[in-house]
């Protein structure tokens, strides 16, 4: 089981993580105008509505960019590791850790989410969403 730093938790992040535990990638979405709010928050940046629901994403996206970290910021993350920006098929851009070899990465590569059971540095089991190159597309 991989060990990862415990994620930031709070009023809005807790719901995101509760859905991820069910292997369902959901983002907060404005009930009034439909815009996704990511990161989640109390009001819609477009229409200022405070109403929101959590909508499932397809789990598909494309690779926008990535960086290889060669300096350690977390003891639990073996070096080097890759942090990438993935544009989801629904539009919001998510940032995540990639386990792919960097030589297989290219801009616009189709990506898909998967779920992995991890242990946080606080000792809790936590399912996390990760991204990988999609085998079904492109
Ligand atoms: Zn709105």
């Amino acid at each position: 089981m991989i060990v990862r730093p415990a994620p930031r938790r709070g009023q809005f992040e807790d719901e995101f993580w509760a859905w991820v535990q069910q292997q369902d990638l959901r983002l907060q979405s404005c009930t009034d105008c439909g815009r996704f709010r990511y990161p989640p928050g109390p009001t819609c940046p477009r229409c200022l509505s405070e109403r929101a629901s959590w909508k499932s994403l397809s789990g598909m996206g494309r690779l926008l960019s990535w960086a290889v970290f060669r300096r350690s910021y977390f003891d639990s993350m073996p070096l080097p590791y890759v942090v990438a920006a993935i544009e989801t098929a629904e539009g919001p851009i998510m940032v995540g850790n990639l386990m792919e070899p960097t030589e297989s990465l290219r801009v616009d590569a189709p990506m898909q989410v998967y779920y992995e059971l991890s242990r946080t540095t606080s000792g809790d089991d936590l399912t996390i969403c990760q991204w990988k190159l999609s085998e079904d597309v492109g």
Side-chain angles (χ1 to χ4, degrees):
M1 188 181 304
I2 62 171
V3 177
R4 290 289 184 252
R8 180 174 132 180
R9 304 298 290 262
Q11 178 183 357
F12 301 106
E13 292 85 1
D14 282 351
E15 183 135 2
F16 171 82
W17 286 106
W19 286 114
V20 170
Q21 297 322 290
Q22 299 176 48
Q23 301 197 359
D24 190 354
L25 179 61
R26 291 190 183 214
L27 293 184
Q28 191 187 41
S29 171
C30 178
T31 305
D32 290 310
C33 77
R35 185 182 196 273
F36 281 105
R37 290 183 215 163
Y38 181 73
T43 56
C44 175
R46 179 194 286 161
C47 75
L48 302 180
S49 171
E50 295 177 359
R51 301 186 330 134
S53 63
W54 288 78
K55 286 189 179 168
S56 290
L57 303 187
S58 63
M60 305 303 289
R62 69 183 184 96
L63 183 58
L64 288 182
S65 184
W66 66 92
V68 180
F69 282 66
R70 299 181 191 283
R71 174 181 285 185
S72 180
Y73 295 95
F74 305 100
D75 291 341
S76 60
M77 297 284 290
L79 295 172
Y81 62 91
V82 177
V83 175
I86 290 101
E87 182 180 41
T88 62
E90 292 78 6
I93 296 169
M94 302 186 76
V95 174
N97 169 227
L98 293 188
M99 305 297 277
E100 307 279 357
T102 52
E103 51 280 4
S104 62
L105 302 178
R106 62 179 172 77
V107 171
D108 285 337
M111 306 293 291
Q112 68 184 79
V113 77
Y114 70 100
Y115 300 91
E116 188 168 44
L117 183 61
S118 71
R119 177 153 297 145
T120 70
T121 47
S122 329
D124 302 316
D125 288 349
L126 183 74
T127 297
I128 58 175
C129 52
Q130 299 269 63
W131 292 90
K132 65 179 181 179
L133 293 168
S134 174
E135 295 147 9
D136 301 329
V137 187

